[in-house]
Amino acid sequence: MTTATGLRRIAPQLSGQARRLGMNMSVNEAAKLGSSIKDAASSSESVLVEATVQTRDDGSVPIAILSADEAVRVINAHAPRIIYLVEQVFDLADEIEAAQDELDDLGVEHSPSHLKATQRRFAAYDGQIGATIASFMIDGVLHTAVATATWHDEFGDAVEAILEVARENASAGQASKHSEEAKAIDRNALVLLKHPSFNHGRVSFDKRMALAETLFQDCALHTLSDITRRAETLFWLEQSGVKVDGN
């Protein structure tokens, strides 16, 4: 192998290595910006806060969400004139009552044993502070910090799990109810369709619905309307050659 041939073979390898080295040595703009800002903050004695200011299209005040430690550090550095502080006391009876009200709305007549067990489990925390919200304004930005007790979060998760099961059961029951109602409408529509007067003389929807009302006197008006419309659909299918006796 000649020297020229060897160089031709080695050159692409060296070129690839050089490109990779160049990529590794390129400036990390993200790291550079962070480092520069930290240096500038240190030299100007600015308070550096790890938070993102959230702005909205409606023109409301921009908000910065801080951790508890960051909020205390900013307050110590800037001493805002007003600090809004809310300490929410955990009222177990009210929380359980609110959960029971939702269960009542879902049609659960008796408190589930899980809800009673949850009430007993968290009884020791009744009257304690479960959540704290602090807010203050600095330079036109609303700074907010929120902290919740671990047991407070666990209580919320436990209650939500109970309610979610009740919601799913209620949804399944509602679907079953609608299914039964649909089947009843189909059965009654077929009866209406087979009645001799259904297509006798000059017919109209109102006349057919009046016939349905005489046949199904216990049905509400909206149900009679559904039966009549379904019967007319079945009639159209029958006229099109589709067998509807099995509906």
Side-chain angles (χ1 to χ4, degrees):
M1 179 178 64
T2 65
T3 301
T5 302
L7 289 175
R8 283 196 298 271
R9 292 183 179 180
I10 295 173
Q13 299 177 12
L14 292 176
S15 178
Q17 291 175 359
R19 285 195 298 270
R20 289 192 293 271
L21 182 60
M23 290 175 62
N24 292 334
M25 294 180 64
S26 64
V27 177
N28 184 330
E29 296 295 340
K32 180 182 178 181
L33 175 60
S35 178
S36 299
I37 293 296
K38 291 175 184 177
D39 291 342
S42 177
S43 61
S44 63
E45 298 183 352
S46 300
V47 178
L48 192 62
V49 181
E50 186 176 353
T52 300
V53 177
Q54 303 176 11
T55 57
R56 301 175 182 176
D57 295 336
D58 60 5
S60 58
V61 176
I63 300 174
I65 308 298
L66 309 181
S67 67
D69 292 340
E70 287 284 81
V72 172
R73 189 166 68 87
V74 172
I75 290 172
N76 286 331
H78 285 278
R81 292 182 59 190
I82 300 177
I83 299 174
Y84 303 95
L85 182 67
V86 176
E87 294 179 305
Q88 297 178 346
V89 176
F90 180 60
D91 190 325
L92 181 58
D94 279 354
E95 296 286 351
I96 294 297
E97 183 179 355
Q100 185 59 61
D101 286 344
E102 183 167 348
L103 290 172
D104 291 341
D105 292 339
L106 293 170
V108 180
E109 297 181 358
H110 304 288
S111 296
S113 58
H114 294 307
L115 184 60
K116 295 179 180 178
T118 300
Q119 184 174 10
R120 292 192 298 269
R121 175 186 169 191
F122 291 91
Y125 301 106
D126 189 31
Q128 295 188 26
I129 295 174
T132 298
I133 305 173
S135 300
F136 50 90
M137 293 288 295
I138 295 178
D139 296 335
V141 177
L142 176 63
H143 296 69
T144 299
V146 179
T148 56
T150 301
W151 55 262
H152 187 272
D153 295 338
E154 292 175 353
F155 172 82
D157 291 342
V159 170
E160 181 59 27
I162 294 170
L163 294 176
E164 185 59 29
V165 171
R167 294 187 196 108
E168 290 177 357
N169 291 339
S171 178
Q174 193 70 13
S176 176
K177 179 182 177 181
H178 287 166
S179 177
E180 291 300 320
E181 290 176 350
K183 290 178 181 178
I185 288 174
D186 278 351
R187 289 194 299 269
N188 291 337
L190 191 58
V191 172
L192 178 61
L193 171 63
K194 297 304 180 182
H195 194 280
S197 298
F198 180 80
N199 206 39
H200 178 71
R202 297 186 63 181
V203 295
S204 66
F205 179 85
D206 289 340
K207 289 181 178 179
R208 286 169 170 169
M209 185 167 171
L211 175 61
E213 190 172 1
T214 62
L215 295 175
F216 316 110
Q217 298 181 9
D218 294 334
C219 292
L221 284 177
H222 68 87
T223 304
L224 292 172
S225 178
D226 290 341
I227 292 172
T228 305
R229 292 187 186 281
R230 180 58 178 161
E232 289 190 335
T233 300
L234 294 177
F235 176 72
W236 176 82
L237 289 172
E238 192 175 61
Q239 293 299 108
S240 302
V242 179
K243 182 177 176 61
V244 300
D245 290 344
N247 290 345

